[in-house]
Amino acid sequence: MALFEVFQTTFFLTLLSLRTYQSEVLAERVPLTPVSLKVSTNSARQSLHLQWTVQNLPYHQELKMVFQIQISRIETSNVIWVGNYSTTVKWNQVLHWSWESELPLECATHFVRIKSVVDDARFPEPNFWSNWSSWEEVSGKETSTERLKKPCKVTTPLSVQDSLGQDILFVFPKDKLVEEGANVTICYISRNIQNNVSCYWEGKQIYGEQLDPHVSVFHLSSVPFIRKTGADMYCEVSQGNVSTSIKGIVLFVSKVLEEPKDFSCETRDFKTLHCTWDPGVDTALGWSKQPSQSYTLFESFSGEKKLCTHQNWCNWQITQDSQETYNFTLIAENYLRKRSVNILFNLTHQVYPMNPFSVNFENVNATNAIMTWKVYSVKNNFTYLCQIEVYCEGKMKQQYNVSIKMNGEYFLSDLEPFTEYMARVRCAGASHFWKWSQWSGQNFTTLEAAPSEAPDVWRNVNSEPGSHIVTLFWKPLSKLHANGKILFYNVVVENLDKPSKSELHSVPAPAKSTKLTLDRHSYEIWVTANNSVGASPASIIVISADPENQEVEEERIADTEGRFSLSWKPQPGDVVGYVVDWCDHPQYTLCDLQWKNVGPNATSTVISTDAFRPGVRYNFRIYGLSTKRIACLLEKKTGYSQELAPSDNPHMLVDKLTSHSFTLSWKYYSTESQPGFIQGYHVYLKSKARQCHPRFERAVLTDGSECCKYKIDNPEEKALIVDNLKPKSVYEIFVTPFTSAGEGPNATFTKVTTPDEHSSMLIYILLPMSFCVLLIMIGCYLKSQWIKETCYPDIPDPYKSSILSLIKFKEKPHLTIMNVSDCIPDAIEVVSKPEGTKIQFRKSLTETELTKPNYLYLLPTEKNHSGPVPFICFENLTYNQATSDSGSCGHVPVPMKPPPSQLGLMISPENVKKALGKNYMNSLGEISAGGTNLNYVSQLASPMSGDKDSLPTNPVEPSNCSEYKRQMAVPLCLASPPLTENSSLSSITLLNPGEHYR
Amino acid sequence: MDSWYPRMAKPWDSWGMLACLCTVLWHLPAVPALNRTGDLGPGPSIQKTYDLTRYLEHQLRSLAGTYLNYLGPPFNEPDFNPPRLGAETLPRATVDLEVWRSLNDKLRLTQNYEAYSHLLCYLRGLNRQAATAELRRSLAHFCTSLQGLLGSIAGVMAALGYPLPQPLPGTEPTWTPGPAHSDFLQKMDDFWLLKELQTWLWRSAKDFNRLKKKMQPPAAAVTLHLGAHGF
C-alpha cells in the first residue's frame, strides 16, 4: 500500500511538472521574436553581417529555432533573397549570420528583416512563425552621398565613406581579388544623372544595365587572368572630349590554385625526410595583392606541422626512431583557396639509398673478374638490392642483380680478353623498391689471350721468268679475335714439289703485307698472327707452280652508284670458296688491294665501300679457291661506281685538206684513262652554210649557237673524213668524246679553211716546174765550168767568136790572133772610189801632191817607160761615168786617168779587208754608198772619154797601151789576205758600187 | 678665290699690328670676362645639368613605356589623358609662361631641386612595388640617374651661391599607399608621376638652357671692347 502511495505521488509530480513546462512554452510561443537586429557590412567581402538576439527565451534553456531572413534591394518590396537559418539558441545568446552579395553593397541600399520559429522536437506541431522584425536598411548610394552630411544609421566601414568625398562619380567595388573564372559585378554611381559616363574594361567600352538613374551595373562573367598587376575597369565623365572625372577599379584575377602534384617523401639516411611536389602555377599577384601560395606540411601521427620555405620541396626531420609510418598532408594555400594532398607511407619503403662507393675489381684475368663495392649502413639489417651493368665500348654487355647488406661482391664472367670494360652498380631498398641510387662505376681491362682466329690472307702473284713474285696481304684481326696487341705475323713457306726445309718469315705488326720471291714450284704458305700470349690459327694459301691464267676476258659492269654487283659462273669441281679482289685506288701505284671472301655456293656478291669514287675505273678479279687452297682466276670485271663525262677532249689533227674535204683524226686519244666508258665521239662542225652536210644533224651548243653534229658510235673509230665542203670556206670543227654521263668539256673549235679549187691545180703545175728548175739548177751547178767556158769564158776565145766566123766567112780566110800567153803584164792598176770619201779625197788630193799615176809596176826594169812599149794596163774606171752607164762590160772607150791619190790609204791591208768584207756581206741592191767593188776594165777603153769627176792630175797617156788588156777579177773571198803595196796580184780594181751602178 | 691667298702685310701694317697687340695685351687684365683665370664659373656645370636632363628624358621614354605596359590598359594607351585627380602631392611642372619667365635664377633652381627631390622619393616607392626584377632594375638605374641630376642641380646652386632648400619638418615626401588609396588610384598616381617627371625634364631642359645662355661669358662685349682698341 505504501509502495502504491509512493508511485501515485511520483506520477502526480511528473504530470504536474510536464503540465508546468507545457504551460510555460505555450506562454512564450508568441514572444520568441528576433530582436536587436543589427546589420553591418564588409565592403571587401561584399557581405552583410547580421546579429540579433531572441527575446523571451526561457532562462538556461536551449531551443532549436529556424530564422527566416529576407533581403530586399533598393526598396523593401524588392526582395532579392529569402533564406532560413537553423540553429540552437541559448538564453541571451547573440546570433550571427552573414550574407554575401554579388552586387557591391555600395551600389544600392539593402534592407534586411528576420523572423523565427521554434523547431524543437520537444514541441510538436503546430509551431508559429514570429512576426518579422522591422526592416534594417543598409544604404548604398544614399549613404555614399548623404552620409557625409548625416550620421549613418548602420555601421559601415570607414573606407567606403572616405572614398566618396565630393566626387561626382564612384565605381564599386573597390579593388577586388577574385579567382580566374569568377563572375564579378561592378557598378558606378553618378551624382548627376545628366553626366555622360562611359565605362571601359581593359580598354574596351562596356555597357551595363541601369539599376536606377544614378547607378549602372556591369556583369563581368568568367573573368580571365590577364596580368599580375590586375585588369582595370574604369568609368569617366566627359564633357565634350574632355574627361572631367575618372574612377576605376583594379580587378585582381588570381589563377586557380592547383593541387600539388607528385607529392612524395623519401629518406636517404633515416634522419631526414625529403618531400617534393610539383606546385603547379604560381598564383602570386602584383602590388602585394596576393603572394605566392604557401605550403605547409602536416604529419598527423605526430601532430607536427611545418611551414615550407620552398615552393616545391621541404625537409622533415625524423625525431623518433620508433616511428615507421608517416601520414603527411601537404596544404597549399593562397588568399582565395586552400588545397591539400595526403600520403601515408612506411619509412623503410621510401628509401633512396646513397650511392655505392669503393667499387673495385679483383682477380682480373682474360675472361673474368670479381667486382666489389660498398654501401652506407643506414639501418640494422637493411637489405639492398644492387644492380650491376657491364659495358664495353659504350654498349651494355651484361646485367646482374644481387642482394647485399653492406659489402657487395660479384663474379663477372664471359668477358672478352684484352678488353676495356666499365662496370657500374646502383642499389635500392630490397624489401620495397622505391628508387635506385645513382650509379657508381669503374673501368677495368681484361688480360690478353692468344688470337682466336686465323688472319684473312690473300695474295697477288706476278709471274716472272723462272720465279713468282708473291705479295701476301692480310687484314688485321678484329679486336674481338686479336685478344691482345698483335706483335708480329709469322709466314711459313713450304715447297710442295720437293721436300725442303720450310722458311719462316716474321713480319712485325702493323705490317699488312709481305713480298716473297718463289721459284716455279708449288708452295704452301701459312700465316699466323701472334700476340704476347700466343699465335692464332694459321691461314693457309697455296701458290701453284703454273702461272696465273691471264687470258680471261674482261667484262664491263654497268653503273651501280657506289656498289658493284658481281656475278660469275660457278667453277666446275670442288671449290671451298671464291675471292673477289680489286684495288681501292687503282690510279695509284700502291693501289690498296682489297678482297672479299665469298662462300662456295655463291655466284654473286655486291662490293660496296666508301673508297669508291665517281669517275674511277675499278677492276675486279674473281678467283675460285680449290680444295687445295689454290686460287684460279675465273673472271675479270671492270666498271665505274659512277661514270662521269670525259675529262678531256682528243687532240685533233686535220690532214688531207682539199677544197672539198679534209680528214680529222685523233688516233692518240686514250679511251681507257677516261672517267667513264667512252661510247663514241661527237663531231661538231660550224660553217656559214645554213644546212648541215649529209650525215650531220643540227645541234644547239650550250652557248646557244647552232652547228652540225655527227655522232661516231665506235670509240675506236678515231678518224672522220669531212667531205662535201665548199672551196675557199672556213669551217670550225670540234671533236668531243661522250660517255653515258655526257660529253667532254667545252673547248674551242678548230678553224679549217678549204683551199681554192684552182690552187690545187696550180700546185700540180708548179710542183713539176719547180722540180724541173731545180734539176736544171743542179745540172748547171754540176756543169758550171763547162757552161762558163761555153757561155761566158773569162777570156773569150777569139777563135770561137762569131765575129771571127763572120770575118772568116766574109773577108780573110787567115787571121792571126794573139795568144794571151804572149802578153806579159807589167802593171796592175788598183782603182778605188768610195763615194762617201769623195770630197775628202778631193781635198786630200789637193793637199797631197801626187804627180805620178798610181800604177804598180810589175816589171821593175821598166820603171820609166817613155817609149811605146807594149803592155797591158788596168785602168781606173772609177770616174768613168760612161762606163757605168753603158752597162756593158767592155768595148767602151775609157779614158786613161790618173790613179786616185788616196790609193795608198786604200790599199793598206786593213782598208782593203774592210772594204771587201763589207762588199761580201752586202747584196747588190744593198751596196752602201761608200762601198768598194771590183770592176773589170776593158782594155779597149777610149782614151778620149771624159770624166767629169776626174781630178786634175797628170793623166797617163794611153797611147802606148796595147789594144787588148788583160782583165782579172778578184773574188771577194780572196780579199782576205792582206794586201800590201808589194802584193803580187795581177790586177785589183776597187770601185765604188754606187758610182758604178748609177 | 683671292681671299684664299695670304696677302703680304705692308711694313707699316706690321708695325701697326704689333702696336695693337701690345695694347691688347696691356689691357687684357682689364677685360672682365677674362678676369677669372682658372675659374670657369657655373657655365660648364649648367651645361652638364642640361645634358643630364636630356639624357634622363631619353631614358625615361623607354622606362615609362615598360612601366605603363606593366600597369596595363588604359595607362599604356597613347591617347589616355585622364584628369589629374589625386596625385596632388606631386610637384606640378606646368606653369604659366609669364610666371616662368619672371622666375629668378634662385627660384628657378630651387623649384627644380624641390621637384626632383619629391619625384625621386615617389619613384623609389614605385621601385619597391614593382613586381618584376627587370622593371626594378630599370627603375633603380633611373633613380640613380635622377639622383645624379639632383646632385648636379645642387652643384649649380652652390656655384651660384644659393643655399639648398631645406625641407620643413614633417613635410618630407613619403610613399605610403595608405589603406584608403585604391589600387586604381595608385596606378593613376604612378601614371601621373611618370607624366609629371617627363614634364619636369622638359621644363628643366628649358630652365637650364635659359640659365646657360644667361651665364655665358659676354663674348660680344669682349669683341667690342677689343674693337675699341683699334681692331
Side-chain angles (χ1 to χ4, degrees), chain B:
Chain B
M1 288 296 287
D2 287 346
S3 61
W4 288 100
Y5 291 100
R7 289 173 180 168
M8 290 296 288
K10 292 177 182 176
W12 58 268
D13 279 343
S14 306
W15 281 111
M17 282 177 74
L18 187 65
C20 287
L21 193 65
C22 291
T23 316
V24 167
L25 288 172
W26 180 257
H27 285 93
L28 265 183
V31 177
L34 303 174
N35 232 347
R36 299 180 198 168
T37 48
D39 182 14
L40 297 171
S45 58
I46 291 172
Q47 178 64 45
K48 276 182 190 170
T49 315
Y50 169 79
D51 293 342
L52 195 53
T53 55
R54 300 309 303 267
Y55 167 68
L56 280 169
E57 208 181 309
H58 168 77
Q59 207 180 336
L60 180 66
R61 212 169 294 146
S62 69
L63 173 70
T66 312
Y67 194 84
L68 295 178
N69 277 333
Y70 165 72
L71 295 183
F75 303 101
N76 61 351
E77 288 168 359
D79 52 350
F80 182 60
N81 188 22
R84 196 175 187 275
L85 302 173
E88 282 85 5
T89 51
L90 283 175
R92 278 180 186 275
T94 47
V95 67
D96 183 70
L97 188 61
E98 285 307 314
V99 175
W100 179 75
R101 278 180 182 153
S102 64
L103 289 174
N104 61 29
D105 294 346
K106 184 184 175 188
L107 196 57
R108 192 181 298 281
L109 287 165
T110 306
Q111 282 185 2
N112 270 277
Y113 186 85
E114 284 177 342
Y116 288 118
S117 301
H118 284 70
L119 290 168
L120 181 63
C121 175
Y122 293 132
L123 209 59
R124 281 178 177 150
L126 211 68
N127 191 10
R128 278 193 288 273
Q129 64 181 1
T132 66
E134 190 192 341
L135 198 57
R136 276 199 295 275
R137 260 198 308 277
S138 300
L139 279 164
H141 179 61
F142 188 80
C143 283
T144 311
S145 303
L146 202 63
Q147 181 72 57
L149 177 64
L150 208 57
S152 194
I153 295 169
V156 173
M157 291 178 78
L160 292 171
Y162 303 142
L164 286 181
Q166 294 298 320
L168 292 170
T171 59
E172 287 93 350
T174 49
W175 185 84
T176 46
H181 213 63
S182 78
D183 291 321
F184 187 78
L185 282 177
Q186 183 60 51
K187 282 188 175 185
M188 196 75 98
D189 285 354
D190 292 352
F191 174 84
W192 274 106
L193 170 61
L194 294 172
K195 191 165 183 173
E196 208 59 71
L197 193 57
Q198 197 167 45
T199 320
W200 263 109
L201 287 168
W202 288 340
R203 177 177 160 175
S204 296
K206 285 190 173 297
D207 280 333
F208 290 108
N209 198 30
R210 195 179 176 83
L211 274 172
K212 192 172 66 174
K213 282 179 182 170
K214 208 171 171 183
M215 296 294 165
Q216 264 176 356
V222 173
T223 312
L224 283 172
H225 193 61
L226 291 171
H229 287 84
F231 282 83

Side-chain angles (χ1 to χ4, degrees), chain A residues 159 162-163 167 174-176 202-204 227-236 243-250 252 285-289, chain B residues 67 69-77 80-85 126 128-132 175 179-188 190:
Chain A
S159 60
D162 293 343
S163 67
D167 282 338
K174 285 182 72 178
D175 306 318
K176 193 171 174 67
E202 275 297 297
K204 288 182 181 173
R227 69 182 72 79
K228 287 189 169 184
T229 52
D232 302 302
M233 190 271 178
Y234 72 99
C235 299
E236 63 179 356
S243 170
T244 55
S245 180
I246 184 166
K247 284 287 166 63
I249 65 157
V250 183
F252 288 92
L285 291 171
W287 305 70
S288 305
K289 277 294 158 188
Chain B
Y67 194 84
N69 277 333
Y70 165 72
L71 295 183
F75 303 101
N76 61 351
E77 288 168 359
F80 182 60
N81 188 22
R84 196 175 187 275
L85 302 173
L126 211 68
R128 278 193 288 273
Q129 64 181 1
T132 66
W175 185 84
H181 213 63
S182 78
D183 291 321
F184 187 78
L185 282 177
Q186 183 60 51
K187 282 188 175 185
M188 196 75 98
D190 292 352

Side-chain angles (χ1 to χ4, degrees), chain A residues 381-393:
Chain A
N381 296 321
F382 190 81
T383 309
Y384 289 100
L385 170 71
C386 294
Q387 190 174 59
I388 299 163
E389 284 181 354
V390 181
Y391 281 80
C392 177
E393 294 177 342

Side-chain angles (χ1 to χ4, degrees), chain A residues 8 52 182 189 192 225 231 234 356 362 383 393 496 524 559 653 663 695 723 778 854 883:
Chain A
Q8 195 177 29
W52 69 95
I189 304 165
N192 189 345
F225 169 83
Y234 72 99
E362 297 167 2
T383 309
E393 294 177 342
L496 295 177
E524 190 172 68
D559 276 11
L653 292 171
T663 304
R695 300 184 295 161
D723 51 8
I778 292 167
N854 280 347
T883 307

Side-chain angles (χ1 to χ4, degrees), chain A residues 40 64 73 76 122 149 368 441 487 539 577 621 661 797:
Chain A
S40 62
K64 285 185 79 177
R73 186 173 286 162
T76 51
R122 290 174 294 177
K149 300 172 187 174
N368 47 51
L487 301 174
S539 187
R621 295 182 297 186
S661 69
D797 190 350

